[in-house]
Amino acid sequence: MAAKIPVTVITGFLGSGKTTLIKKQLRNNQGKRIAVLVNEFGEIGIDGDLLRSCRVCDEDGKEITPNIVELTNGCLCCTVQEEFLPTMQELLKIRDRIDCILIETSGLALPKPLIQAFRWQEIRNGATVDGVIAVVDCEAVASGKLVGDLDAVNAQRQLDPNLDHETPIEELFEDQLACADLVLLTKTDLVDVDAQNKVHSWLKQELREGVKVIACDEGNINPEILLGFNAAVEDDLDARPSHHDTEEDHDHDDDINSIDIITDRTFEPSQLLASLKLAIADQEIYRIKGFVNVPNKPMRMVLQGVGDRLETSYDRLWAKDEARQTRLVFIGQGLVRSQIEAALSL
């Protein structure tokens, strides 16, 4: 019988850099056969598409596409009974062809309820949680906010039924740190050395003894550091106390919704960003992500937005058989499609 598959759980607030980290791991997979479970809110699997585009080649130049399983029906913690279990069961059927699994939780999911699922008999004989990685936004912590956009997190955490909706954001952050085997400090380039050192020192005081804090620029970190903890976390949960160990389930907040925009129209980046900033100021938009068709540009533009912070990059050439469409997902509170379309002049 094949050995248990080691599973690494990557947690952290939205915009902290989890997807970027996984992309870099896939590009630098060192020959490992990796299965990825990513979590989405919204009908368009933007994060999954980004991950799926991260193809690497072997020594003969043959393209390798990592085995990706994309969960698209909401928060992982609240769908674990409905979709996570059958997904894991399918992966365990082919575990002799998988070296490890990376699970990117949603930006608001607590790692502990997910890890508890690895105690289920259907999973525990075939997989083990190798370690939990907490990704922390250094700039946000240095500014005293803990997250890049506090309002966005306060609203979006309503989607996690394992949380008391009135729980202070500090407790949610502490729960993620309490479960971590390693903390990756991202966006360190946005703060000076003194601020980075202060954040590092503060985190060390909050973490269990032996948990390291490592600066991670743009997701660049050696896989040997990220993987191979052999922590069997599912059997070590008592040593990782949570504010929410005895919480009961809560209903989802129906006011939090997503709007998917798909259009053949092209957009000049500067004009699009200006329009989006006006829309963010006028509506309760917490997150924007997607791809943009830029006129006379052979490459696809990636757009990521948290709060009023918008970032763009170009990830690859448009494929010959691919529709050059602009596809954006807007996540927020009480969003109205007609208003967003008007802001984009659609």
Side-chain angles (χ1 to χ4, degrees):
M1 179 179 292
K4 289 186 179 182
I5 302 175
V7 177
T8 299
V9 176
I10 301 175
T11 186
F13 290 122
L14 79 168
S16 61
K18 300 187 303 296
T19 299
T20 298
L21 175 67
I22 292 177
K23 286 172 60 180
K24 293 297 177 67
Q25 292 302 306
L26 295 180
R27 287 173 174 162
N28 187 30
N29 68 355
Q30 299 182 346
K32 289 184 180 293
R33 297 165 297 179
I34 302 173
V36 178
L37 276 67
V38 297
N39 183 67
E40 276 296 316
F41 177 72
E43 295 179 4
I44 301 175
I46 297 298
D47 286 347
D49 202 354
L50 275 172
L51 293 170
R52 194 172 292 107
S53 70
C54 299
R55 297 183 173 90
V56 294
C57 295
D58 61 17
E59 294 179 355
D60 298 324
K62 183 179 179 181
E63 188 176 77
I64 302 171
T65 303
N67 179 18
I68 295 177
V69 179
E70 182 181 359
L71 305 180
T72 59
N73 66 339
C75 172
L76 185 58
C77 285
C78 67
T79 62
V80 67
Q81 294 279 3
E82 301 163 10
E83 188 168 345
F84 173 74
L85 177 58
T87 298
M88 282 298 302
Q89 288 177 314
E90 288 302 310
L91 288 177
L92 292 179
K93 291 178 182 178
I94 57 169
R95 69 176 187 264
D96 59 329
R97 290 151 48 191
I98 298 174
D99 294 314
C100 61
I101 298 175
L102 301 180
I103 299 181
E104 177 191 359
T105 68
S106 72
L108 296 154
L110 293 170
K112 204 163 183 178
L114 169 62
I115 294 166
Q116 288 171 333
F118 284 83
R119 292 175 169 177
W120 298 346
Q121 196 63 37
E122 300 93 332
I123 297 179
R124 70 176 296 117
N125 291 333
T128 180
V129 181
D130 179 75
V132 177
I133 311 299
V135 183
V136 175
D137 184 332
C138 184
E139 181 193 27
V141 175
S143 66
K145 296 188 297 183
L146 299 183
V147 293
D149 189 298
L150 184 58
D151 291 337
V153 173
N154 277 333
Q156 285 206 355
R157 66 177 176 166
Q158 303 290 333
L159 295 172
D160 191 336
N162 295 291
L163 298 178
D164 184 332
H165 297 167
E166 302 302 322
T167 299
I169 193 65
E170 291 81 5
E171 289 188 9
L172 178 55
F173 186 66
E174 288 168 4
D175 280 358
Q176 294 183 351
L177 293 181
C179 207
D181 294 284
L182 176 70
V183 172
L184 296 183
L185 203 55
T186 62
K187 305 183 182 179
T188 54
D189 59 314
L190 301 179
V191 300
D192 58 32
V193 175
D194 183 57
Q196 181 178 333
N197 289 337
K198 288 181 179 178
V199 170
H200 187 283
S201 298
W202 178 78
L203 285 171
K204 290 296 291 182
Q205 295 175 5
E206 300 295 316
L207 295 166
R208 302 189 320 277
E209 184 177 356
V211 176
K212 302 295 184 181
V213 179
I214 301 176
C216 180
D217 180 41
E218 294 294 326
N220 294 309
I221 187 170
N222 189 320
E224 298 302 321
I225 297 176
L226 195 69
L227 308 175
F229 283 89
N230 299 315
V233 181
E234 65 274 16
D235 296 325
D236 186 44
L237 288 179
D238 289 342
R240 305 165 190 242
S242 164
H243 289 289
H244 304 271
D245 286 344
T246 59
E247 293 278 324
E248 296 182 356
D249 287 346
H250 294 269
D251 294 330
H252 284 239
D253 188 334
D254 293 334
D255 289 339
I256 305 298
N257 67 320
S258 69
I259 301 293
D260 302 329
I261 298 294
I262 303 177
T263 176
D264 293 329
R265 179 184 165 182
T266 60
F267 292 90
E268 290 288 351
S270 59
Q271 296 176 359
L272 175 61
L273 293 181
S275 297
L276 291 177
K277 287 182 179 180
L278 289 175
I280 291 169
D282 186 55
Q283 303 179 55
E284 290 296 311
I285 297 173
Y286 304 130
R287 184 79 189 272
I288 305 173
K289 53 185 177 178
F291 309 110
V292 180
N293 181 13
V294 178
N296 303 315
K297 186 76 175 181
M299 299 188 73
R300 184 178 70 172
M301 189 177 85
V302 178
L303 173 67
Q304 297 275 2
V306 179
D308 59 1
R309 187 168 66 190
L310 300 172
E311 298 177 354
T312 62
S313 63
Y314 292 93
D315 68 332
R316 64 169 173 81
L317 294 169
W318 290 96
K320 292 183 179 180
D321 58 349
E322 179 181 15
R324 290 192 52 153
Q325 293 180 316
T326 294
R327 297 186 294 144
L328 298 174
V329 177
F330 294 77
I331 303 172
Q333 185 171 22
L335 299 184
V336 179
R337 177 177 296 275
S338 59
Q339 294 177 351
I340 292 177
E341 290 177 343
L344 297 176
S345 299
L346 296 178

